[in-house]
Amino acid sequence: MPLLKVCGLTKKFYGITAVNNVSFAVNTGEIVGLIGPNGSGKTTLFNCITRMLIADQGRVLFNGEDISNFKPAQIAQKGLARSFHFIRVFIDLTVRENILVAAQHHQQDNDLEQIFRTKNSRLLDQEILIKADKIINFIGLQGLTNEKAGNLSYGQRKLLSFSMAIIFHPKLVLLDEPAAAVNPTMIKRIGEYIRTLNQQGITFIIVEHNMEFIMGLADRIIALDQGSIIADGLPRDVQHDYRVQEAYFGV
Amino acid sequence: MKAIKENKYSIFLIIGVLLLVSILPLLVNLPFVLHVLISTLMYIGFALSYDIVTGQIGAVSLAHASFFGLGAYVTALIGKAIGAPFWLNIIIATILSIGLAIVMSLPAFRLSDLSFSFATLGLALTVQLVVKNWVKITRGPMCIHNVSNSSLWFNGILEISRTNLIAYFYLFLMVDIVIIILYRLISTGRLGRTLTAVRNDEVLASSVGINIQRYKRLTFFISAGIAGAIGSLWAPYISVVCPDYLSMDYTLNLLAIVFIGGSGSLLGVVGGSILLTVWPELLRVTPAFRLIIYGLFLLIFVTSIPNGVKGIISNVNKRLKIN
């Protein structure tokens, strides 16, 4: 059973068909690269899968369950995380608090326990704090732990939003351009980290324009053009596909 | 001193100041001064309850006076009918206010941002109209006078009557301390982070698994409950309950307090309440120019200090940090 199965997904904005009858499946343990020229529907596809946008047609099955009618928060709780193309962070929260917020729906205590700080609730907070600090160290923001996320640079926000997507040990992560506007050393580290997490069993779908990065990382590439899948296969096969070359590399 | 520390210690600062204030009635036992103090304390609690929904989660409700008014009416009517002890009044008023909030939330929380505000405005006006026209029960515009005095006793030990302003003062002081602690517990820790997250970015919040609707409702109900409780205490003090209690005037006052003080900040809201309650009363020395001066003051304050009292405090903190 594939982890994610997208069947005939279509999304139209007035006259434009942003995603046109897209079907594909992703198996557990894969790293799938999603490429395509600007406006080819990659981000819209992500938005439809996570229900930030409501698709006009088609179904999405996650872990065998039809999530087409779920709310975005429920989908996240099922273990499908994502990062955003236009980087989003909680600007009034500190770097650490951002990560804590992203991890907290795992904590199984109710609101009253939280308000009155019961022992159980405090223990859960401790656990998650250690996890958060570990990931802050990894992305190299330890000097900014208590800085408001609103004061971070674009690249730093990107790293933060990447850690927010992976902190709650999701089954599947959709990353929207994790390598854009990040320095080469950090790109390498992100790549290595994605691979480590992948070995731990997390599946990835990554939208990326950095060809070197995505071709080296992905097991499989799906190429989109004008809302339709034009190629789906091993990185080098897709790279040499004439339609991809035409649409993407402009040859 | 970091901005974070301001938050950490502000609760002790405020409770300390309130305890200092608690000596005041023993020094100046003038009815007018006591009335101003009591109104200020009432507004501190009222504005904090409003800020839980408006400042913390960022849903600007315009129906907050409805809960206050409902609490006041419930207390007045119970007093007329059976004369229950004040703690029972508070409990009934709180429960009914939460009930009204639940009913209001059904349509209102299907909307967000400005549409939400307008929906709550419409609902608040509807509730006020019902109270105004349901003359059989509420006496409508004739108001309910002489709200039962005896409704304010506590197991017969501490009797609080309308003439005993000092007792009222301490009652509101205690209520405020409870509300401040509750506000602090809600606005910090994990719940506080969640509320800030929803306020900052609803899309991102839902993408990390936060059920936005649930937290919006939660804060709306808590804040309504507190407002009902305050209304229930205010009615016997002021002894007359009119449909005006549910009017926009109260909500506008709260909006001014929260946004001039600094929304989402304990010190800001308390500072704003003191500023906007004491200042208009002080201006009573020149009755003719009172409202003109007050209006000018608001205008100057908003334009010259956009971040409110909260902004002044954090500026002072920054200076302290540099030196």
Side-chain angles (χ1 to χ4, degrees):
Chain A
M1 180 180 68
L3 180 62
L4 180 78
K5 195 161 188 246
V6 176
C7 313
L9 213 58
T10 301
K11 176 73 189 171
K12 289 180 181 148
F13 296 111
Y14 304 100
I16 301 162
T17 308
V19 173
N20 188 8
N21 197 20
V22 167
S23 302
F24 65 93
V26 174
N27 291 316
T28 307
E30 274 190 298
I31 300 179
V32 175
L34 192 58
I35 64 168
N38 293 322
S40 59
K42 306 180 296 289
T43 300
T44 308
L45 182 59
F46 272 14
N47 284 338
C48 289
I49 292 173
T50 54
R51 289 279 291 179
M52 301 278 162
L53 283 173
I54 294 165
D56 299 324
Q57 274 167 40
R59 287 191 313 145
V60 179
L61 295 169
F62 180 61
N63 221 0
E65 192 174 5
D66 192 342
I67 57 167
S68 311
N69 293 317
F70 280 26
K71 292 203 173 79
Q74 284 175 297
I75 291 174
Q77 286 168 12
K78 290 276 170 202
L80 203 169
R82 67 168 298 180
S83 74
F84 290 89
H85 188 163
F86 296 103
I87 291 303
R88 290 166 177 269
V89 289
F90 301 117
I91 52 171
D92 288 338
L93 294 177
T94 66
V95 168
R96 184 195 266 149
E97 287 172 334
N98 264 276
I99 295 176
L100 292 177
V101 160
Q104 72 185 14
H105 78 249
H106 263 309
Q107 292 161 284
Q108 302 291 339
D109 51 347
N110 63 36
D111 299 324
L112 275 179
E113 284 184 84
Q114 286 178 41
I115 290 177
F116 296 108
R117 314 282 197 272
T118 58
K119 200 176 167 196
N120 173 32
S121 181
R122 276 178 286 143
L123 273 175
L124 290 170
D125 281 341
Q126 272 305 320
E127 260 171 48
I128 222 150
L129 199 69
I130 295 166
K131 243 187 222 167
D133 283 351
K134 222 161 142 188
I135 203 162
I136 291 172
N137 277 330
F138 168 75
I139 54 169
L141 294 182
Q142 59 271 42
L144 300 165
T145 308
N146 289 319
E147 189 64 50
K148 289 255 162 81
N151 300 335
L152 298 183
S153 74
Y154 180 82
Q156 288 166 335
R157 286 184 196 208
K158 185 143 238 169
L159 292 170
L160 178 58
S161 85
F162 171 71
S163 14
M164 285 163 72
I166 57 167
I167 182 74
F168 60 83
H169 288 286
K171 295 191 182 78
L172 173 65
V173 187
L174 311 182
L175 293 176
D176 207 339
E177 297 196 29
V182 176
N183 68 57
T185 339
M186 193 46 81
I187 291 183
K188 226 177 132 201
R189 286 191 73 181
I190 288 183
E192 281 163 14
Y193 199 50
I194 289 175
R195 216 170 260 131
T196 315
L197 291 169
N198 182 242
Q199 276 155 14
Q200 289 168 15
I202 300 182
T203 310
F204 285 90
I205 303 178
I206 304 168
V207 165
E208 190 51 68
H209 285 300
N210 183 333
M211 281 303 130
E212 198 192 327
F213 174 77
I214 196 67
M215 291 298 172
L217 191 63
D219 308 318
R220 193 175 127 208
I221 298 282
I222 295 174
L224 278 179
D225 186 35
Q226 293 175 18
S228 305
I229 293 181
I230 53 169
D232 182 347
L234 293 172
R236 64 190 145 78
D237 295 343
V238 171
Q239 224 167 353
H240 295 119
D241 188 290
Y242 76 96
R243 278 177 305 178
V244 177
Q245 299 232 330
E246 199 175 39
Y248 200 56
F249 300 105
V251 185
Chain B
M1 269 172 83
K2 279 183 185 171
I4 279 178
K5 286 197 174 162
E6 182 254 303
N7 285 329
K8 222 172 192 169
Y9 298 118
S10 54
I11 186 162
F12 301 113
L13 180 72
I14 288 168
I15 291 181
V17 168
L18 284 180
L19 288 177
L20 274 181
V21 169
S22 69
I23 314 167
L24 257 162
L26 306 175
L27 303 176
V28 261
N29 199 351
L30 297 168
F32 172 69
V33 174
L34 279 172
H35 173 69
V36 173
L37 285 173
I38 292 169
S39 318
T40 310
L41 288 175
M42 187 280 275
Y43 263 111
I44 288 176
F46 197 16
L48 282 174
S49 75
Y50 185 56
D51 194 56
I52 290 174
V53 65
T54 297
Q56 294 299 329
I57 208 157
V60 181
S61 153
L62 296 178
H64 207 59
S66 309
F67 309 122
F68 174 77
L70 181 75
Y73 265 100
V74 166
T75 304
L77 292 171
I78 293 175
K80 283 268 178 281
I82 48 169
F86 93 94
W87 53 266
L88 191 60
N89 282 337
I90 290 187
I91 292 171
I92 296 171
T94 307
I95 292 171
L96 287 178
S97 294
I98 294 175
L100 179 64
I102 291 172
V103 174
M104 281 187 174
S105 74
L106 295 176
F109 278 117
R110 296 179 147 265
L111 308 161
S112 57
D113 301 330
L114 212 55
S115 333
F116 167 77
S117 301
F118 276 103
T120 54
L121 174 63
L123 290 165
L125 293 175
T126 314
V127 172
Q128 195 195 356
L129 274 177
V130 169
V131 169
K132 215 178 229 165
N133 292 296
W134 201 357
V135 179
K136 212 170 158 192
I137 294 198
T138 63
R139 288 172 44 87
M142 277 101 73
C143 303
I144 300 177
H145 295 272
N146 294 320
V147 175
S148 178
N149 228 342
S150 62
S151 61
L152 264 175
W153 53 262
F154 187 70
N155 286 344
I157 304 163
L158 175 69
E159 183 135 353
I160 302 171
S161 72
R162 195 172 308 129
T163 47
N164 189 352
L165 290 179
I166 292 182
Y168 263 105
F169 174 84
Y170 287 112
L171 181 67
F172 274 104
L173 194 70
M174 283 188 294
V175 168
D176 271 10
I177 290 175
V178 172
I179 294 174
I180 286 170
I181 292 171
L182 194 62
Y183 177 91
R184 169 88 189 154
L185 287 172
I186 290 169
S187 65
T188 57
R190 204 180 328 149
L191 188 59
R193 283 200 295 271
T194 312
L195 303 185
T196 308
V198 175
R199 185 184 72 222
N200 275 176
D201 191 333
E202 292 188 11
V203 173
L204 181 58
S206 64
S207 90
V208 297
I210 295 172
N211 186 343
I212 300 166
Q213 284 294 322
R214 180 161 172 270
Y215 286 100
K216 279 187 174 173
R217 280 166 212 266
L218 180 74
T219 48
F220 191 60
F221 300 158
I222 293 176
S223 98
I226 299 174
I230 294 172
S232 160
L233 284 171
W234 190 244
Y237 167 69
I238 214 81
S239 100
V240 184
V241 177
C242 295
D244 289 357
Y245 279 32
L246 297 98
S247 75
M248 273 304 288
D249 296 6
Y250 277 90
T251 308
L252 288 178
N253 267 340
L254 292 178
L255 270 177
I257 287 173
V258 165
F259 285 99
I260 283 178
S263 62
S265 142
L266 183 59
L267 274 177
V269 175
V270 173
S273 311
I274 296 170
L275 204 66
L276 291 197
T277 326
V278 176
W279 182 234
E281 294 293 343
L282 291 181
L283 289 177
R284 280 188 198 279
V285 287
T286 61
F289 296 106
R290 183 168 162 253
L291 289 177
I292 298 172
I293 297 176
Y294 182 61
L296 274 176
F297 160 78
L298 285 188
L299 197 66
I300 292 167
F301 201 96
V302 170
T303 49
S304 58
I305 313 170
N307 291 329
V309 176
K310 181 175 78 173
I312 299 177
I313 293 163
S314 62
N315 275 343
V316 171
N317 272 340
K318 266 181 204 153
R319 296 241 170 97
L320 286 174
K321 198 179 169 187
I322 291 164
N323 292 333

